[in-house]
Amino acid sequence: MLRRHFIKFAGLAALATGLGSAALAQMPAPLDKPEDVKIALVRYLSTGDFFQSYLSGVETQAAAIGMDLRVFDSRQDAALQADMVDQAIALGVDGIIIQHGLTESMKEAAQRAVDAGIKVVAFDVDVENEAIPQIEQSDYLLGKLALDQAIADNGTEFTAGYVYVPGIAPLDRRDVAWEEVKQANPGIKEAAVFGTLDNPIANAVANQARSILQANPTINVMFAPFDEFAKGVKIAVDEAGLTQDIKIYSADVSTADISAMREPDSAWVATVATNPSVVGEVSVRTLALQLTGENPGKSVVVPPTLITQDFLNEQDVSNMEELGAKMPQFQHADVAMADWMPLPKR
């Protein structure tokens, strides 16, 4: 549950960034001695490619700066996640990134960290604290762009299945877009709402989707605004032989997702995403700005991009690296930056 990353020499950070020791020497305190700065990532969700890529971004940006990173993984145990925040506080960390979680379990834990003088940022969890910047992917826009594409492909009259688990901040923000689109387009019928975050998420959702498809044969659109949800729906659609009859619209992307979208006759036709690795980098940079006394703002938003099956096929994109090359806005976000900030070498 606890992984330690000891980055003890500024020279290693210089190697990671390719910027040299002169640039590192210009970092403000306390990052002028980054090896003495300890930060923690406290995770609620970790299953799936998105979260592995996010972790990679956190690790590479922390290494570029030279900070000592500790990773705590609660594996969707809300009480344990709150306890892990307390563990990080007891370790004497200087900063904490809270990644996902439930407001009711994380609100008080986050406040305890603030009370201890620790800088905190939160990614995709609303801890209801003005002192804590919120990192987000503009989740409303993630949902809205996907639904705009669904309307472009299917018109304003279709029957939809919707995969949703309430109480998770990014899913709740995407749900706002869904409710608005339904209200603006009475011809869109919501036949069923289902969803779970039980591990493994894709397989658990597939089990639900099988029953939903059997009970609702008129469904021709699936709105699954999380890629693990979309994977599960695709499993059920493939097994039912409905790849020509149903279109899947999602959020988030990974190399595995790209492969699934490009399969012959794949029902997964569009997703809207930020690069999760970039979001991880932005999370660390936001915390670094706080540590040096700068104000990154209450909300730090990484803009999303629409990615269609047609684009992937036309550009022959097969992985995240090629997606970044063909879609430069996906590769880097000019967010939470400073002239002294070392970046990971690409």
Side-chain angles (χ1 to χ4, degrees), residues 171-336:
L171 298 180
D172 289 343
R173 288 191 287 260
R174 296 168 197 184
D175 181 64
V176 172
W178 173 239
E179 293 299 328
E180 288 183 0
V181 167
K182 283 194 303 176
Q183 184 175 2
N185 299 276
I188 297 176
K189 298 179 181 178
E190 181 184 270
V193 181
F194 62 102
T196 178
L197 290 172
D198 291 347
N199 284 322
I201 297 172
N203 291 342
V205 169
N207 291 336
Q208 294 180 331
R210 292 184 186 99
S211 299
I212 294 297
L213 292 174
Q214 290 176 356
N216 300 275
T218 60
I219 287 177
N220 60 335
V221 167
M222 279 285 193
F223 181 44
F226 170 31
D227 60 345
E228 293 299 309
F229 290 169
K231 289 176 184 177
V233 170
K234 184 179 181 299
I235 290 170
V237 168
D238 289 350
E239 290 177 351
L242 297 173
T243 58
Q244 298 294 318
D245 303 308
I246 294 175
K247 290 185 172 70
I248 301 169
Y249 299 85
S250 183
D252 307 323
V253 72
S254 69
T255 293
D257 298 343
I258 292 169
S259 177
M261 291 177 70
R262 293 197 62 191
E263 289 177 6
D265 298 322
S266 174
W268 191 348
V269 296
T271 193
V272 180
T274 58
N275 187 328
S277 181
V278 171
V279 179
E281 294 172 10
V282 168
S283 299
V284 174
R285 294 204 299 268
T286 302
L287 186 59
L289 290 174
Q290 279 198 299
L291 288 167
T292 61
E294 296 189 38
N295 181 7
K298 173 60 180 172
S299 179
V300 180
V301 179
V302 182
T305 302
L306 173 69
I307 302 162
T308 65
Q309 183 185 84
D310 287 343
F311 174 86
L312 296 174
N313 286 332
E314 290 167 3
Q315 299 295 320
D316 194 26
V317 173
S318 59
N319 55 51
M320 294 286 280
E321 289 73 21
E322 292 175 359
L323 180 62
K326 298 293 178 65
M327 198 174 272
Q329 69 271 31
F330 188 75
Q331 190 68 15
H332 172 73
D334 191 19
V335 176

Side-chain angles (χ1 to χ4, degrees), residues 102-122:
L102 306 179
T103 299
E104 56 266 30
S105 59
M106 294 312 298
K107 180 179 178 179
E108 292 183 0
Q111 184 61 55
R112 289 195 294 273
V114 172
D115 290 343
I118 296 169
K119 301 300 183 182
V120 181
V121 302

Side-chain angles (χ1 to χ4, degrees), residues 90-106:
L91 283 173
V93 301
D94 302 285
I96 297 174
I97 301 168
I98 299 174
Q99 181 228 299
H100 293 88
L102 306 179
T103 299
E104 56 266 30
S105 59
M106 294 312 298

